[in-house]
Amino acid sequence: MLSNMSSFFVRTLREDPADAEVNSHKLLVRAGYIRRVAPGVYSWLPLGLRVLRQVEQVVREEMNAAGAQEVLFPGLLPREPYEATNRWNEYGPNLFRLADRRGNDYLLAPTHEEMFTLLVKDLYSSYKDLPLTLYQIQTKYRDEARPRAGLIRGREFVMKDAYSFDLTDEGLDESYNAQRRAYQRIFARLGLEVVICAATSGAMGGSRSEEFLHPCEIGEDTFVRSAGGYAANAEAVTTVAPPEQDYSQIPAAHVHKTPGAKTIADLVDLANRDFPRSDRPWEAADTLKHVMVTLVHPDGRREVVGIALPGDREVDLKRVEAAFAPAEVEVSTPEDLAKHPELVAGYIGPQVLGPQSPARAGQPDDAEELAGVRYFLDPRVVTGTAWIAGANEADLHVVNLVKGRDFEADGVIEAAEIKPGDQAPDGSGPLEIARGIEVGHIFQLGRKYAKALGLTVLDENGKSQVVTMGSYGIGVSRVMAALAEQNCDEQGLKWPLSLAPFQVHVLATGKGEEIFETAQNLAKDLAKDFEVLYDDRLKVSAGVKFADSELLGMPFVLVVGRGLKDGKVELRNRRTGEKEELPVEQAAEAVREAIAKAKEEN
Amino acid sequence: MLSNMSSFFVRTLREDPADAEVNSHKLLVRAGYIRRVAPGVYSWLPLGLRVLRQVEQVVREEMNAAGAQEVLFPGLLPREPYEATNRWNEYGPNLFRLADRRGNDYLLAPTHEEMFTLLVKDLYSSYKDLPLTLYQIQTKYRDEARPRAGLIRGREFVMKDAYSFDLTDEGLDESYNAQRRAYQRIFARLGLEVVICAATSGAMGGSRSEEFLHPCEIGEDTFVRSAGGYAANAEAVTTVAPPEQDYSQIPAAHVHKTPGAKTIADLVDLANRDFPRSDRPWEAADTLKHVMVTLVHPDGRREVVGIALPGDREVDLKRVEAAFAPAEVEVSTPEDLAKHPELVAGYIGPQVLGPQSPARAGQPDDAEELAGVRYFLDPRVVTGTAWIAGANEADLHVVNLVKGRDFEADGVIEAAEIKPGDQAPDGSGPLEIARGIEVGHIFQLGRKYAKALGLTVLDENGKSQVVTMGSYGIGVSRVMAALAEQNCDEQGLKWPLSLAPFQVHVLATGKGEEIFETAQNLAKDLAKDFEVLYDDRLKVSAGVKFADSELLGMPFVLVVGRGLKDGKVELRNRRTGEKEELPVEQAAEAVREAIAKAKEEN
């Protein structure tokens, strides 16, 4: 098919849009692929729609090949099913809610777990009907607090969501792995680099979960990876705990005056001066840092808890939040802390927290609600380790406070920020920290939704069994943005052959009928086999045409210009930057060969 | 591609859904093509989605062939552009409105005139950029008061909407005609019978407009047509007025007592008895019926107006409403009428209405607002016609009241119901009245939207010109329902080859491994060339399989059953009902030939 630039619906912009910070956003707008309608809401212009449809088609083919069946749900959904799973409330302000003319409540679907569960409940009743995986490619809505970066975090976006239904946990594993393999194939075909990261399930509930992240500086997600192949979302990394230690030789705990020690560095200096130990000097990692956070439980209750971690570590609130989900986590406010006068800012130590706190004294071990402030330890604080900690009084610290001898806690928590060089939990080496764009997420939901909505089937013995489910999403429009991030330079986009809106861009640069006639004939010829965009604009300079072709980013650019007087045209490869002069009569064949070669390499 | 019934996501229902009144709704639900989620909101199951996509593809190909370019707008739109054109208010309760987390107003798009206008304004600036036609295939939302008939009147539905942009009226005509021809090709390719009806533009504004109606008993639209090719929406039919008449011989108007004449029939009987005329008896068509209606103007103002029409005609409120758009029309309430004590129910006549009313006396002809009750005449009430009308007092009528001699009016209005046998306005013969489903609607919008939103371009002389627009819609999901209505019988659906979810349905009926093995081999063989559904269910009776295959409606059904012991299988044509016994070894070839033949015939 041939399209002429003079009538094709595209206009390039010289200026970046005012609200654009990242390349994909800038370039997709400037090149006329998308257009902003409202914050986080975009229109797809002809060029953008062509790429989107091509991405969708790759996703569709691999879903079908994995045995998933395509359906299509509405975007406008009734409240009741989301009420049954409590997501009507849990989604909070992220959910677009509305009422119809009769006053019935509706929502714009952020994701469709409830509806797929009800559909399968409606149609299926026997274990023989399972396994089943359904999917759709559909428009989703989320009222993001901070829509940003164009298609990367939008409020209306295109998503592929799939749902699997199985009788057994083993079945779920199989369905999950089939989707996981399909995702690998999809991103391989799209040529999009992804890292599969172990993830937490967050508000979705369920057990196993992995994110597909495209490594990218401008990504919103932090993840870690080791050279040995480990990768995880920062929230999901587990710490390698040291073995328990023999503390029989450690002297009894002793309180020291530590006036003026405002920082951990001060404290370490003072310790090494005033009460040095024989085997090695005190380090920041020997001090026990206490951080108080407030959990805001779903019922609104605010609970202050204490977290202790080695003094060379910072707390990562996202990791804390993942550990305490569905509660939200805040830094404790002065009002929260005022309710616990035993906590002396800067000098908090284990003695006023958790099991050893006076508040807990006399409370039975199996009490329903633990008295006092609950107390959680970083995994490195194992039995036998000795610490310098606050003594719960200004200018006093305790030295040689031993876990298992002098204090205990209510639990272990992954609260510490990961640092480059930390060891991967699977022993595959030191971790590096990177950023990425989340392009896919797969979840083992388990039986949460099926239970809430009553999806059961009869098993071989005629007994009713709750079905177990998986949920698998790809942000299709976000994938397109990630592809644009990966396939661009300062001049513009540079699409891979299989995703480009047009495979060939023919430019007529220069003046004279012969140039335009030759260019048009070549464009027509190539249009028999390919999608061809022909820049036929009469009063546009060669410079503008070159700049536009680099901005638009078609993989092959055929230039018919001044060289024509010597019988030459130029073939440019936008991806590699290579340029080749060709006799005009060989040009069409050369383009065909170049495309055939590029297809093979893919 | 081969799909097995045992794992394909479909379950047929024996019972019609409780809310279903029409065949397409009943069958599409029972056959597992669609599923209700909320009133007027449906999910597409795999079978339904396949048909929908095929209909979409026909629409897309013909739009592209007509030079329209595809884009995709969001469903969630900001209020402001719809405020600028006043449609935010005019749509009334049909519009789904919502607010985001910041309290900004949004709507779910019912149609996108405003957004396309703004997009073109954003990108284009010169007459050289025009003409342009853009389209999308997109999800629309309307909060219908009475969603009904499944996909026929839904609240979320799929629509193709196109918009043309031209500098001149002639250009608009060309763009309009190009879309009109594309629509004819689309419905021809779909095999859907349509009648192109002249229509009124209603709330859309603009001049020329035509509806594409699929003639169908269960349709919601009434239209008329003549054997000579005229067709129009009932609202758009114009009446053939008789020529003006010479009234020099008609006696002066005279008031008669008409006690007890409660109905027009009574009045006619009484007239023929008490004051007969010499040339021919009085008939109902000689009486002048007066109907008072209340216009509710967009600003909420209620205005009572009088309409006079021959006594053998009824008022059609839809036609009145079309004439007074954008005002809404109601039958006048007692409260409305109480404000006009001169109107004596049952005896209203021209003397208290319009130009001759006492209220108007002394008012200059060019008064801004006409005093009294405005008065409108049916086109048949031409100058020189003589009438019996009420005398504005109980039990009194005036006889020989002559239009042009004894009374005038403020205008002519198409208010009377069309009757079978009425003459087509183009002289193409008597009209018949029929019902249809509106599947397409094309409008010449003119400059209304471009003016409201400031879409101008510079013309050849550098002068700013307002662009003129057209708007062209096809209800894609409704088209699918109309196709189902047209392609079904009591047993179920019967899709044409090009729209069927599967071209071939292979049934293994009966017991024995050989039957299933043979059926599966045939299915696999045919699946190399076609979409094949294979009913491989083991414990399902032949009767159920036959019934399911008729309900699902694939055009070719290949039955492998008891005949196999004699080496025979049966090929059924679901569309024609033909059955043919074939030697098993010729079966695949016979199916291929039958499909090739059906393709040719299409």
Side-chain angles (χ1 to χ4, degrees), chain A residues 226-242:
Chain A
S226 73
Y230 175 82
N233 187 305
E235 284 90 312
V237 182
T238 51
T239 303
V240 185

Side-chain angles (χ1 to χ4, degrees), chain B residues 85-106:
Chain B
T85 59
N86 202 30
R87 292 212 297 175
W88 174 265
N89 294 317
E90 273 176 15
Y91 260 111
N94 288 314
L95 197 64
F96 281 109
R97 297 176 180 83
L98 68 160
D100 75 358
R101 65 196 293 154
R102 297 180 194 279
N104 294 316
D105 282 331
Y106 285 80

Side-chain angles (χ1 to χ4, degrees), chain A residues 385-416:
Chain A
T385 49
W387 304 90
I388 303 177
N392 304 301
E393 204 170 306
D395 296 333
L396 291 184
H397 279 87
V398 194
V399 176
N400 281 331
L401 207 54
V402 171
K403 158 75 167 70
R405 181 185 76 182
D406 304 320
F407 69 98
E408 289 294 351
D410 295 313
V412 172
I413 186 180
E414 292 290 352

Side-chain angles (χ1 to χ4, degrees), chain A residues 202-347:
Chain A
M204 301 293 293
S207 46
R208 189 172 168 203
S209 146
E210 287 167 297
E211 279 177 12
F212 289 71
L213 295 183
H214 170 61
C216 181
E217 273 307 306
I218 60 105
E220 294 184 321
D221 288 79
T222 303
F223 71 100
V224 302
R225 55 178 165 185
S226 73
Y230 175 82
N233 187 305
E235 284 90 312
V237 182
T238 51
T239 303
V240 185
E244 295 194 358
Q245 293 173 30
D246 171 20
Y247 54 84
S248 54
Q249 303 307 313
I250 297 178
H254 191 274
V255 175
H256 284 269
K257 286 202 173 167
T258 53
K262 296 281 179 211
T263 66
I264 288 171
D266 292 345
L267 181 61
V268 171
D269 287 349
L270 189 149
N272 283 325
R273 188 189 71 200
D274 291 359
F275 40 90
R277 59 182 176 187
S278 52
D279 51 347
R280 56 195 169 90
W282 295 107
E283 290 176 7
D286 298 314
T287 67
L288 200 56
K289 178 193 281 189
H290 284 82
V291 177
M292 312 307 295
V293 300
T294 298
L295 311 187
V296 185
H297 293 282
D299 61 4
R301 186 168 56 91
R302 296 178 72 86
E303 179 193 5
V304 173
V305 302
I307 298 171
L309 67 169
D312 61 337
R313 295 275 165 180
E314 298 297 326
V315 157
D316 179 337
L317 281 183
K318 278 191 169 182
R319 279 167 57 78
V320 176
E321 192 154 67
F324 284 118
E328 288 176 12
V329 173
E330 298 174 5
V331 173
S332 294
T333 63
E335 291 73 33
D336 292 333
L337 294 175
K339 294 183 182 147
H340 299 281
E342 71 274 27
L343 303 174
V344 181
Y347 297 90

Side-chain angles (χ1 to χ4, degrees), chain B residues 413-427:
Chain B
I413 187 179
E414 292 290 352
E417 191 178 52
I418 312 298
K419 292 200 291 196
D422 285 354
Q423 290 298 312
D426 66 352

